Amino acid sequence: MKPYEVAIIGASVSGASLAIRLGKAGLKTALIDKQTFPRKKACGEGVSDIALDSLYELGLKEEIEQLGGKPFFSFRIGLDQHSVTFARSSQPRLKGIGIPRYRLDKLLVDHASHAPSVTPFLGSAVTDIQKTASLHLLSLADGQQITARYLVLADGTNSANARKLGIPKTSKTRSPLWGINFVMEGEYQSTTGEVSILLKDGYEVYCTPVSDTTLNVALLARKDKLLYLQEKNLQQQLLLEAAEKSCFQGEVIGRPLTVGPVGSNKRPYIYDSTLLLGDTSESLDPIAGMGITHGILMSKHAANALTSIFQHGESEEKAFKNYTADCKEMSRIYRGFTQLTASLFRSPLRKVLIPALSVTQLPFLINNALRYESASASASNLYLPFTKFLQFLGG
């Protein structure tokens, strides 16, 4: 069989988004994942307006609207006995949509799989990766073998395939985080159009409406608080508070999902002729809710690099150099935003700072700075100073 031009390991949001783009370009692509879809995954399940715009570019607007997600227009920050609305404008402006992750993942995988040049290999893990002078040879647990010119790793923070290839972590945070994810089924007493974030000492509670009958509740904590959050009575108390803040009545369905460590590593964007994508390359602190956005935007840069090689005759060296530069610039902005958010939400002075900043233009400056890459030149220039500030924070 003729080798694939690209093999993608990991068919979640980042990998499937890349496969859709490569499929549109007609590149012969293998999309590989050890699991089948739909599958449950711990996630805050908020998809930002920036990520939505990128998905709509792929022609997915109608399909995403059919998923039945809940749009949100602002954030309500819970500070013990009182709360503050953050990023609400006089005219409602979409900040994102809460969508069950298993539905979003399946939509993207199905869409990618329907492209004539994309072949899905789902439900079988990669057991071995060998590299020749010009090809990657992948062995799957079900006995199949795949050869491809280029390899993309999009299999997450704790990538087993990155370990197989000996890809080093270039940095590691001192305070990785763990998450516990609950799904509640019931009904809303009213529609708030908000995502609620309850700030506690050493942990946070994220409350995201994801359908007309479903509320996603995610607990995010440092390791030293993880055992504390395992206490059933505390979990029940937090779930009741989350439901109350979201104007929701219901019960937990299914078993809680856990994830971690997250926000804990960074790897090179390119290693040999392998591209790293999304959390496999860099996992951002989930506090800012930008993990999905970061991965989807990286997939666009990866598609640009690979199509420039196969369709425009660009050299591998130049294409990979551009991919690295594009990802560095974009990631510094998102890393800076994440670090700014973490510093604010976890500050001992947050009860003073958050109410004060909520009435300023800061949330809107941040949003437009995050859109800097895709904005028009004249509009971009207005937010360039703030974009540079976020890049500075991102290192």
Side-chain angles (χ1 to χ4, degrees):
M1 179 183 290
K2 183 180 178 182
Y4 289 90
E5 289 166 311
V6 181
I8 305 168
I9 303 178
S12 193
V13 169
S14 302
S17 296
L18 174 58
I20 292 171
R21 291 185 180 277
L22 298 182
K24 285 181 175 292
L27 269 63
K28 186 175 169 61
T29 303
L31 180 61
I32 307 161
D33 201 288
K34 64 183 179 182
Q35 297 187 13
T36 56
F37 293 79
R39 59 97 172 92
K40 298 293 181 72
K41 180 178 182 179
C43 179
E45 299 191 331
V47 183
S48 77
D49 55 333
I50 300 171
L52 288 170
D53 285 348
S54 186
L55 293 175
Y56 293 166
E57 278 181 12
L58 301 176
L60 295 170
K61 190 174 191 298
E62 184 177 341
E63 288 93 333
I64 287 174
E65 289 175 349
Q66 291 173 353
L67 293 179
K70 295 283 281 185
F72 55 90
F73 303 90
S74 61
F75 302 89
R76 180 165 292 277
I77 313 301
L79 300 165
D80 294 335
Q81 301 304 313
H82 67 285
S83 61
V84 175
T85 300
F86 214 71
R88 174 181 285 172
S89 53
S90 55
Q91 297 296 322
R93 176 178 167 183
L94 185 70
K95 300 298 186 300
I97 301 179
I99 302 174
R101 181 63 182 269
Y102 73 93
R103 292 183 186 170
L104 179 63
D105 281 345
K106 188 173 190 312
L107 169 66
L108 296 179
V109 169
D110 287 350
H111 199 83
S113 301
H114 289 152
S117 65
V118 176
T119 304
F121 296 86
L122 307 177
S124 188
V126 175
T127 57
D128 187 54
I129 304 173
Q130 298 293 327
K131 174 89 165 54
T132 67
S134 59
L135 292 173
H136 295 86
L137 174 61
L138 282 60
S139 300
L140 305 188
D142 62 6
Q144 295 188 81
Q145 290 196 323
I146 298 167
T147 56
R149 182 170 171 191
Y150 291 106
L151 178 64
V152 178
L153 297 186
D155 53 339
T157 301
N158 303 308
S159 170
N161 295 291
R163 290 195 296 272
K164 285 186 182 79
L165 293 171
I167 301 176
K169 293 183 178 181
T170 55
S171 64
K172 188 174 181 179
T173 63
R174 295 180 181 178
S175 302
L177 301 163
W178 276 258
I180 307 174
N181 197 183
F182 300 86
V183 176
M184 300 184 72
E185 186 78 21
E187 61 181 4
Y188 291 92
Q189 307 307 301
S190 64
T191 300
T192 65
E194 296 177 327
V195 168
S196 293
I197 305 171
L198 313 180
L199 303 182
K200 307 292 185 179
D201 291 331
Y203 64 98
E204 298 99 35
V205 183
Y206 298 83
C207 319
T208 307
V210 294
S211 80
D212 287 338
T213 60
T214 313
L215 176 69
N216 180 289
V217 181
L219 314 182
L220 186 67
R222 300 189 307 259
K223 190 173 183 178
D224 62 317
K225 286 286 185 178
L226 196 59
L227 285 178
Y228 174 64
L229 289 179
Q230 301 282 354
E231 295 179 8
K232 298 302 180 184
N233 288 339
L234 175 63
Q235 288 182 359
Q236 188 62 29
Q237 176 186 330
L238 292 173
L239 289 167
L240 288 172
E241 183 180 0
E244 179 186 352
K245 297 296 184 184
S246 303
C247 301
F248 183 84
Q249 287 187 342
E251 300 291 334
V252 172
I253 57 172
R255 297 177 60 184
L257 301 174
T258 59
V259 64
V262 293
S264 60
N265 72 268
K266 190 174 185 304
R267 296 185 181 94
Y269 300 110
I270 298 286
Y271 186 82
D272 200 357
S273 56
T274 298
L275 288 78
L276 278 68
L277 190 62
D279 286 347
T280 312
S281 173
E282 178 172 8
S283 60
L284 300 175
D285 187 325
I287 192 169
M290 282 294 170
I292 290 176
T293 304
H294 183 248
I296 288 173
L297 295 182
M298 281 189 77
S299 73
K300 187 174 182 178
H301 293 314
N304 289 341
L306 291 164
T307 54
S308 71
I309 293 172
F310 287 107
Q311 296 187 339
H312 307 300
E314 196 162 75
S315 69
E316 178 182 302
E317 180 182 5
K318 183 177 180 182
F320 285 0
K321 184 177 180 180
N322 289 339
Y323 175 67
T324 297
D326 289 341
C327 289
K328 272 186 178 179
E329 180 177 2
M330 185 265 292
S331 295
R332 282 179 63 195
I333 297 171
Y334 280 83
R335 194 183 312 123
F337 168 56
T338 297
Q339 292 176 0
L340 178 65
T341 305
S343 297
L344 176 61
F345 284 7
R346 295 173 185 152
S347 168
L349 300 176
R350 61 178 179 264
K351 293 179 183 179
V352 175
L353 294 174
I354 291 176
L357 292 173
S358 69
V359 297
T360 70
Q361 291 297 306
L362 178 64
F364 307 103
L365 287 170
I366 289 174
N367 185 272
N368 283 289
L370 293 174
R371 287 180 170 275
Y372 171 69
E373 286 188 310
S374 58
S376 66
S378 59
S380 295
N381 289 336
L382 295 174
Y383 302 100
L384 180 58
F386 201 78
T387 303
K388 294 299 183 185
F389 173 64
L390 291 180
Q391 288 178 326
F392 172 74
L393 292 178

